[in-house]
Amino acid sequence: MTLSSPQAYNRSIFSDSDMINPDAKRVLRAQVRLTLLAMLVSVLIAGAVPSVPMSVLIGGLCAILPALLYVRIAGKVQRAAPPELMRAHYQAEAVKFVATVLLFAGTFAFFKDLSVAGLFAGYIAATSGYWFGLLSNNRDQRNGK
C-alpha cells in the first residue's frame, strides 16, 4: 500500500493490523475518552469561554499523539530477543518524550489565547488513561477474562 493509494487514508488509527496489542488500544481509547470528558467538564465550568475547552483538547492531544508514536515504534518489534525489545521501547520512549516537549513548545508558541490550567488539565486527564488502563487490566485478570 502506498501513500497515494486510497486505502492509506481510509484506515483507522486503531486498526488491528497497526496495533496488535489490545492493552495499548485500551489505553489509547481511555485517553481519548478522558480528554473528551475533561472537555465536557471544562465547557460546563467555563461556560462561553471557548479557549478553555480548546486548551483542554490541545493538552489531551499533547499526551495522545506521543502515545500513538510510542505504540507504533515499540509495536514494530513483536517477537525478538529481550535486548532488541528493550531497545525498541527505549527508542519509542525517547521519541515520545521529544514529541511531548515539541508539542508543548509549539502550543505555547502558536496559541496565544490559551488557558494554561485547561492545557494541563487536558494533559493530566489523558495521561491518567495509563492508570485506568492498568486498573481495568487488573480487574479483567481478577475476573478471569
Side-chain angles (χ1 to χ4, degrees):
M1 173 175 13
T2 64
L3 285 179
S4 62
S5 69
Q7 295 85 7
Y9 298 103
N10 293 330
R11 293 183 342 185
S12 166
I13 60 171
F14 294 122
S15 70
D16 290 333
S17 64
D18 291 335
M19 289 187 279
I20 305 297
N21 189 340
D23 294 329
K25 190 186 300 187
R26 181 175 49 246
V27 168
L28 287 167
R29 285 186 175 151
Q31 287 183 314
V32 170
R33 288 182 184 126
L34 289 167
T35 299
L36 294 175
L37 178 64
M39 282 182 63
L40 177 65
V41 169
S42 72
V43 167
L44 296 174
I45 292 173
V49 183
S51 64
V52 177
M54 184 58 69
S55 299
V56 171
L57 174 64
I58 293 169
L61 289 174
C62 285
I64 295 167
L65 295 176
L68 276 169
L69 287 173
Y70 180 93
V71 168
R72 288 211 181 249
I73 293 168
K76 285 182 182 177
V77 180
Q78 294 295 320
R79 301 183 199 285
E84 189 177 343
L85 289 171
M86 286 304 296
R87 198 170 20 260
H89 282 281
Y90 283 139
Q91 180 187 13
E93 190 60 41
V95 168
K96 179 181 162 193
F97 177 76
V98 170
T100 302
V101 169
L102 289 175
L103 285 169
F104 271 114
T107 298
F108 285 118
F110 294 112
F111 293 97
K112 301 302 179 197
D113 188 28
L114 185 72
S115 166
V116 176
L119 179 76
F120 286 109
Y123 181 78
I124 290 168
T127 304
S128 66
Y130 293 116
W131 293 103
F132 287 112
L134 289 173
L135 290 174
S136 67
N137 190 27
N138 288 339
R139 186 191 66 218
D140 291 345
Q141 288 176 354
R142 277 185 271 133
N143 293 336
K145 293 182 181 176

